[in-house]
RNA sequence: GGUUUCGUGGCCGAGUGGCUAGGCACCGGUCUGCAAAACCGAUUACAGCGGUUCGAAUCCGCUCGAAACCUCCA
């Protein structure tokens, strides 16, 4: 591992050399979804971003334990249903058990992630399965004097914590500003201070999801689950904590406070945050009601979509932007990404059919030398996938020249070229081929007959017939391309 | 109002002091019976103003504009 991997740490707001606490082992925790609705395009961003991180760290030889939680309790709603849990609300509306709702949407989330070729995390803990751990941690925070109990609820005491540790160091917030700017919300009269946050909430009678605790029958607060579960599976101090930028405050800030208060240590060394996906310049999200679900992208059934977009098109679209940049959605941008993705995939299949020559052209030689260097340099620079993709398009150019027999490559260079392209495209970027029915044997045989008949017509200069065959196939979504070695066909999705 | 960011060509999107990113679209050429694809070439840029510098998209200041967070949110 002679790589100098730099990662942007939100805590220091700089790129830092990545040095695991216990190399070659790496512990990574990422905030997963709250399962009360279908995953939308915004959910694909952290899924794919941290999949890229997971894949690249593993490629470099690290033994990564990747923990991504499922939030199936907690997260209070702050609208009319004050005090009622999102999962419970949805359940009551649909006359389902809360756990039934959580199961339903986590199954659908898993399907979407698998469609996007996102690898499963090593451990996927559920908040509801770790109530005991959360209660134990709250006890520790109380014992340390950084929390107080009121009427069966427990709140984190931000002011007393701030006397010993800096509250706000992750998000750059200052206590005094928070004090003067925190909005007065209803139902907060139990708190000593508006910025205090709940560690445990006593359940109201109508609240279905509840567990016994030393303080009341209730449920854990907003931020407890991630603190408790990351500590359980990765230790009290681990390497990487990831999530969306919108979780920076208060969620991650509070996680730091909870871990510091309970365990006397920062939970992790590196904080990584992916940026938002925007639509017309605005964040795509539930609260703005401008989101498009992944299923809608895959089947095209949404008013904002010109047509369906495949999972790999979405994945490629996301990887073409750096994970810390906002990424603006539009049909035009998605279609551009799709074309680029297909061009890349066509080149891969051409590469696998290339014939080697006795030697490699000199310019290609120097490219083959720079290609891995530049590609690794891009990934080592805070997972810069757009630069890696630009490198891959350079490779595409050479592959096409080779396929056109305008350039030559030796057997050993060809083997290495194939290996590198496969490593970067499939192993690291996690793209995959999305073929139609090209691999179906009977369809393939049928197409050979059609192509042969068309070739006969062409040889007889009966272009009316040959064009008719080509046009009719195009109507069916099958594209014919004439090359020097005969015609080929592909299915357009 | 506070905190954190951002403003790059027709669209998306890299790039942090001198060295053409890349993709998509458009135009010209090569190839082709014609297409498509591919290859070659051309074109469109760094919000505005000022400053630092031999030199700034890149650093500094101001102005204008946008976003996220400050309340659940990926």
């Amino acid at each position: 591992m002679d790589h100098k991997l730099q990662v942007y740490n939100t805590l220091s707001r700089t790129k830092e050399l990545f040095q695991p606490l216990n190399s070659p082992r790496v512990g990574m925790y990422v905030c997963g979804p709250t399962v009360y609705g279908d995953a939308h395009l915004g959910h694909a961003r952290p899924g794919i971003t941290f999949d890229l991180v997971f894949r690249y760290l593993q490629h470099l030889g690290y033994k990564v334990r990747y923990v991504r939680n499922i939030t199936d309790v907690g997260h209070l709603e702050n609208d009319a249903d004050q005090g009622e849990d999102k999962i419970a609300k949805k359940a009551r509306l649909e006359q389902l058990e809360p756990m039934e709702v959580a199961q339903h949407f986590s199954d659908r989330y898993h399907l979407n992630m698998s469609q996007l070729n996102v690898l499963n995390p090593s451990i996927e803990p559920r908040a509801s399965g770790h109530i005991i751990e959360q209660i134990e941690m709250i006890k520790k925070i109380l014992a340390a004097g950084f929390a107080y109990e009121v009427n069966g609820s427990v709140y984190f005491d931000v002011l007393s914590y701030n006397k010993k540790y800096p509250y706000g160091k992750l998000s750059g917030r200052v206590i005094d500003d928070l004090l003067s700017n925190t909005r007065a919300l209803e139902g907060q009269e139990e708190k000593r201070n508006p910025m205090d946050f709940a560690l445990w909430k006593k359940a109201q009678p109508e609240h279905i999801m509840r567990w016994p605790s030393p303080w009341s029958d209730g449920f854990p607060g907003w931020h407890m689950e991630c603190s408790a579960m990351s500590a359980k599976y990765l230790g009290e101090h681990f390497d990487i904590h990831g999530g969306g930028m919108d979780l920076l405050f208060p969620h991650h800030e509070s996680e730091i406070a909870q871990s510091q208060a309970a365990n006397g240590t920062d939970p992790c060394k590196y904080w990584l945050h992916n940026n938002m996906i925007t639509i017309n310049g605005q964040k795509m999200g539930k609260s703005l009601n401008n989101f498009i679900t992944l299923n809608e992208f895959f089947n095209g059934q949404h008013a904002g979509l010109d047509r369906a977009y495949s999972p790999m098109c979405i994945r490629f679209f996301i990887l073409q932007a750096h994970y810390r940049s906002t990424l603006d959605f539009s049909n035009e941008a998605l279609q551009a990404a799709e074309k680029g993705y297909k061009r890349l995939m066509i080149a891969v299949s051409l590469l696998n059919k290339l014939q080697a020559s006795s030697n490699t052209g000199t310019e290609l030689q120097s490219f083959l030398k720079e290609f891995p260097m530049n590609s690794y340099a891009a990934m080592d620079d805070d997972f810069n996938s757009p630069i890696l993709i630009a490198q891959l398009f350079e490779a595409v150019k050479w592959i096409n020249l080779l396929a056109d027999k305008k350039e030559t490559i030796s057997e050993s260079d060809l083997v290495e070229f194939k290996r590198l392209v496969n490593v970067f495209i499939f192993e690291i970027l996690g793209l995959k081929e999305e073929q139609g029915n090209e691999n179906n044997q009977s369809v393939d045989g049928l197409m050979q007959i059609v192509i042969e008949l068309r070739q006969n017509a062409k040889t007889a200069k009966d272009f009316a017939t040959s064009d008719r065959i080509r046009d009719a196939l195009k109507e069916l979504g099958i594209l014919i391309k004439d090359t020097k070695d005969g015609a080929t066909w592909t299915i357009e999705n």
Side-chain angles (χ1 to χ4, degrees), chain A residues 118-303:
Chain A
V118 168
L119 298 172
N120 290 327
S122 322
I123 303 176
E124 191 171 51
R126 289 167 172 268
S128 62
H130 297 76
I131 302 295
I132 291 170
E133 287 83 351
Q134 296 181 66
I135 289 173
E136 289 307 308
M137 194 159 178
I138 295 168
K139 284 184 189 167
K140 284 166 83 174
I141 297 173
L142 275 166
F146 294 117
Y148 54 92
E149 186 198 340
V150 183
N151 299 332
S153 292
V154 181
Y155 295 97
F156 192 90
D157 190 340
V158 172
L159 277 185
S160 77
Y161 173 82
N162 192 57
K163 284 175 189 155
K164 191 166 177 191
Y165 307 102
Y167 184 80
K169 68 174 180 177
L170 181 67
S171 54
R173 264 156 244 260
V174 182
I175 282 284
D176 291 339
D177 294 334
L178 286 170
L179 275 172
S180 54
N181 286 303
T182 305
R183 273 201 251 168
L185 295 166
E186 287 177 31
Q188 299 211 332
E189 49 282 349
E190 289 181 345
K191 293 183 188 177
R192 289 181 191 168
N193 195 293
M195 76 187 70
D196 291 350
F197 53 90
L199 300 177
W200 187 265
K201 279 290 268 187
K202 181 180 178 178
Q204 298 303 304
E206 68 275 15
H207 200 99
I208 313 171
M209 293 186 111
R210 55 170 66 202
W211 292 265
S213 81
W215 313 287
S216 64
D217 273 14
F219 50 95
W222 298 270
H223 319 299
M224 276 313 302
E225 58 173 289
C226 291
S227 292
M229 297 191 296
S230 63
K232 170 158 183 168
Y233 297 111
L234 298 172
E236 291 176 357
H237 189 62
F238 53 95
D239 296 293
I240 297 173
H241 191 128
M245 271 185 191
D246 50 349
L247 298 177
L248 234 151
F249 190 91
H251 185 57
H252 291 157
E253 195 70 65
S254 303
E255 273 189 59
I256 291 179
Q258 289 171 162
S259 293
Q260 198 68 259
N263 307 324
T265 173
D266 256 345
C268 70
K269 191 172 177 188
Y270 305 98
W271 284 92
L272 272 55
H273 289 96
N274 65 273
N275 214 319
M276 303 293 104
I277 288 181
T278 58
I279 177 164
N280 299 322
Q282 270 206 319
K283 173 181 165 180
M284 181 181 282
K286 271 225 176 300
S287 51
L288 293 165
N289 206 33
N290 61 352
F291 63 95
I292 304 177
T293 68
L294 289 169
N295 290 328
E296 286 165 343
F297 274 101
F298 300 160
N299 64 29
Q301 299 298 307
H302 187 281

